[in-house]
Amino acid sequence: MKTIISVIAITITTLGAQAQINFSATDLPPAMYGCGDWITIDSSTNEQAILIGGETSNGAPNAAVRLLGQDNNLNWIVKHNFYLESEEPRSAFFYEDNYVYIAIVTLFQELKIFRALMDGNANFSEVYSSLDVGYTNATITAIDINDDGYEDFLFSGFPYTGQTPDVGLIQNNGNGTFSSASPPSNIPQANGGYYKSVYFDTSGRKHLIVVSDDVDAIFENEGNGVFTQAFLLENTPSRVHVTIIDLNNDGLNDISVTGPNDIDDSGMMLYKNLGNLNFQPFDATYTGLPNTYYGETEYEDIDNDGYIDAVVLGKLLDNTVVTKIYFGSDDFKFFGDEFILNNQNGNPISLSNGTVDLYDYNNDGMFDILLTGRTAITSEPESWLLTNTSTLSVNTFEENRFIIYPNPARDIISFKGIDAIKSITVFNQLGQKVLSAKNTQSLNVESLDAGMYLVQITDLKHVSIQKKIIKQ
């Protein structure tokens, strides 16, 4: 595996900050039509590894699904080989009792579930294997179906044996084992569609987004296995990717759907969360994001300016490909600068039929980019890790003059060194948002479990700063 540092830079001038955008590019084992996910394998250090798998060169499906991590010299190595034929793998995972559970369904092999203690060793063992053959056009998500406090795996697709599409449920027994169960009868199959589970409110339950041939909708999880259709998603694409992100920092998760719709083979839809499972749709004409298909769009604040940015991988209607960052602005519009993502030679990465995943894997406060897909010229698979080495000069408040006190804290934390705070967001060591607030100089963290957290504070000029706190 070869790693070469390249000079990839662009200067973005925003309200109150100037960012120098840089990435170092690392080529990883190739994969397309596959999975690319960051998995936490050590709960004490927040060490990350990459779950990667997909079709290889010349369409060969026999590259195993693997977990890649770094050795002491920061070289990427195989931490675990799942020994699965990996054409069209789909995956989902969750964390429970200091274990990570990963479910993988592939075209030629049955759905399997693995688990490992989150001690950094990635010693995965198989805890479930279905008796069914593999699925094509599959989708899978982790969601507590029966409201027993344990995440289950809900999946759908077209069985390779040629049967009609169906819905499957692998139920978590709460003791490290799983068993096949009957899914709720009103959840439609999603052959070529998508399942996505997400927290939308304070109910404490994940709701379910379904994009299928029958209905595109949000199903409310009412508990005890009852799911009710709550909101129809208009103009939703098929062959999609669904992303959940709080795009406007209002504390509510919004929806992004990438893929072609049924009318004109194009579609890029955003849905603003209005509360109470009600949403406002925005199409590509409004958002400024491209209509792409056979790809994904993911969102994070890449340049640390307080605005959410979009990382887009996909193909346009004229068969050209887009692999770039669209820097964000307010009100669900991305009309700012754009940045083309380059490989280690400084050439644009041109991928479709792939995945995008964003995570701060090296804990430096900046989001990194993981890309997989098919190249536009040779149709060969490629995978890239773009490590964010950007710098941000802050001219609204100085980081060394900004403090959070008390730290460690038991209940109330306060902020000194910034006059006007727009938003405060607290993330746990898994990168999950656990608290948020607006227009305040203090925050009550009493509800958090003991441990380390990352606090991101954004001022009225959209300049952000991040600090770590310890909750006692």
Side-chain angles (χ1 to χ4, degrees):
M1 190 176 302
K2 187 177 181 182
T3 302
I4 303 177
I5 303 299
S6 59
V7 179
I8 310 172
I10 184 173
T11 299
I12 305 296
T13 301
T14 62
L15 298 176
Q18 188 177 63
Q20 184 77 16
I21 304 300
N22 297 277
F23 293 92
S24 64
T26 304
D27 55 333
L28 299 175
M32 61 183 177
Y33 302 117
C35 53
D37 294 301
W38 285 104
I39 307 291
T40 299
I41 60 173
D42 193 325
S43 58
S44 62
T45 65
N46 201 31
E47 180 185 355
Q48 300 287 309
I50 298 172
L51 179 68
I52 195 165
E55 192 170 300
T56 58
S57 299
N58 302 316
N62 56 0
V65 180
R66 287 158 289 180
L67 197 70
L68 307 178
Q70 287 184 301
D71 61 17
N72 293 333
N73 296 318
L74 301 183
N75 297 313
W76 289 94
I77 60 172
V78 176
K79 298 280 289 188
H80 186 82
N81 194 329
F82 292 94
Y83 295 104
L84 292 173
E85 291 184 296
S86 61
E87 185 171 328
E88 297 186 17
R90 297 294 182 263
S91 62
F93 61 93
F94 63 82
Y95 306 101
E96 178 184 291
D97 295 334
N98 208 36
Y99 281 90
V100 55
Y101 291 83
I102 302 176
I104 304 169
V105 59
T106 68
L107 178 58
F108 296 118
Q109 295 192 22
E110 65 272 19
L111 185 150
K112 292 189 175 184
I113 301 174
F114 304 85
R115 82 166 186 168
L117 187 66
M118 296 170 66
D119 58 2
N121 293 315
N123 292 326
F124 281 87
S125 60
E126 182 179 312
V127 294
Y128 178 85
S129 178
S130 75
L131 299 177
D132 301 322
V133 297
Y135 280 73
T136 184
N137 296 332
T139 181
I140 186 168
T141 193
I143 183 171
D144 183 1
I145 288 289
N146 56 350
D147 206 28
D148 63 354
Y150 297 102
E151 296 272 85
D152 310 301
F153 289 109
L154 180 74
F155 67 98
S156 181
F158 205 106
Y160 190 61
T161 53
Q163 301 172 7
T164 57
D166 60 11
V167 182
L169 174 65
I170 309 300
Q171 186 169 292
N172 186 342
N173 297 322
N175 57 2
T177 67
F178 294 79
S179 56
S180 180
S182 298
S185 59
N186 65 328
I187 294 179
Q189 58 80 19
N191 175 38
Y194 211 85
Y195 287 161
K196 185 75 172 185
S197 58
V198 59
Y199 294 106
F200 276 133
D201 51 31
T202 59
S203 67
R205 301 186 183 98
K206 285 184 178 179
H207 304 295
L208 182 67
I209 298 175
V210 178
V211 179
S212 71
D213 293 335
D214 299 325
V215 63
D216 304 330
I218 298 170
F219 285 78
E220 181 180 3
N221 183 353
E222 298 184 11
N224 297 317
V226 178
F227 285 77
T228 303
Q229 183 175 309
F231 183 85
L232 287 174
L233 301 171
E234 64 179 72
N235 198 34
T236 306
S238 59
R239 300 193 302 276
V240 302
H241 177 72
V242 178
T243 303
I244 305 300
I245 185 72
D246 182 3
L247 285 168
N248 57 345
N249 291 316
D250 64 353
L252 298 175
N253 280 322
D254 309 298
I255 305 172
S256 166
V257 185
T258 304
N261 62 39
D262 296 328
I263 301 174
D264 55 9
D265 203 31
S266 65
M268 174 67 216
M269 296 295 298
L270 297 180
Y271 298 86
K272 180 181 180 180
N273 192 339
L274 303 177
N276 298 317
L277 295 182
N278 188 28
F279 294 80
Q280 179 181 358
F282 299 102
D283 61 16
T285 302
Y286 178 88
T287 65
L289 296 175
N291 282 322
T292 56
Y293 60 103
Y294 293 125
E296 295 186 357
T297 304
E298 292 287 348
Y299 304 83
E300 289 293 356
D301 184 3
I302 301 297
D303 57 355
N304 277 342
D305 66 348
Y307 292 108
I308 297 295
D309 310 306
V311 180
V312 180
L313 179 154
K315 185 183 292 186
L316 303 179
L317 292 179
D318 61 4
N319 287 323
T320 60
V321 296
V322 174
T323 314
K324 63 172 62 174
I325 302 172
Y326 290 80
F327 291 97
S329 60
D330 280 340
D331 200 25
F332 289 76
K333 292 184 179 181
F334 293 79
F335 292 149
D337 294 284
E338 301 173 7
F339 179 48
I340 297 175
L341 296 168
N342 293 341
N343 61 21
Q344 81 274 33
N345 297 318
N347 299 320
I349 298 174
S350 298
L351 297 177
S352 64
N353 304 89
T355 67
V356 179
D357 202 29
L358 309 179
Y359 206 92
D360 177 16
Y361 83 90
N362 54 2
N363 294 311
D364 63 354
M366 294 176 290
F367 285 97
D368 310 293
I369 304 174
L370 173 65
L371 304 174
T372 76
R374 179 198 293 269
T375 61
I377 298 176
T378 65
S379 295
E380 289 297 296
E382 287 185 355
S383 298
W384 294 97
L385 171 62
L386 302 179
T387 303
N388 192 340
T389 58
S390 308
T391 59
L392 178 66
S393 59
V394 179
N395 55 22
T396 299
F397 56 92
E398 297 293 336
E399 182 171 357
N400 59 3
R401 296 171 56 187
F402 174 77
I403 61 173
I404 300 177
Y405 65 95
N407 189 12
R410 293 185 182 276
D411 43 32
I412 304 296
I413 58 174
S414 300
F415 310 99
K416 183 178 180 180
I418 176 173
D419 294 329
I421 294 177
K422 177 184 178 182
S423 65
I424 304 166
T425 308
V426 182
F427 301 91
N428 63 18
Q429 293 189 64
L430 300 180
Q432 300 165 327
K433 182 169 68 175
V434 293
L435 279 179
S436 63
K438 285 180 173 293
N439 305 318
T440 180
Q441 295 292 128
S442 62
L443 184 67
N444 191 334
V445 297
E446 188 175 8
S447 63
L448 299 179
D449 294 332
M452 183 175 292
Y453 295 86
L454 182 69
V455 182
Q456 178 172 298
I457 301 95
T458 303
D459 73 359
L460 293 180
K461 292 186 178 180
H462 300 283
V463 177
S464 294
I465 197 168
Q466 294 178 333
K467 291 282 190 179
K468 290 182 179 180
I469 66 166
I470 297 175
K471 169 63 169 59
Q472 292 181 329

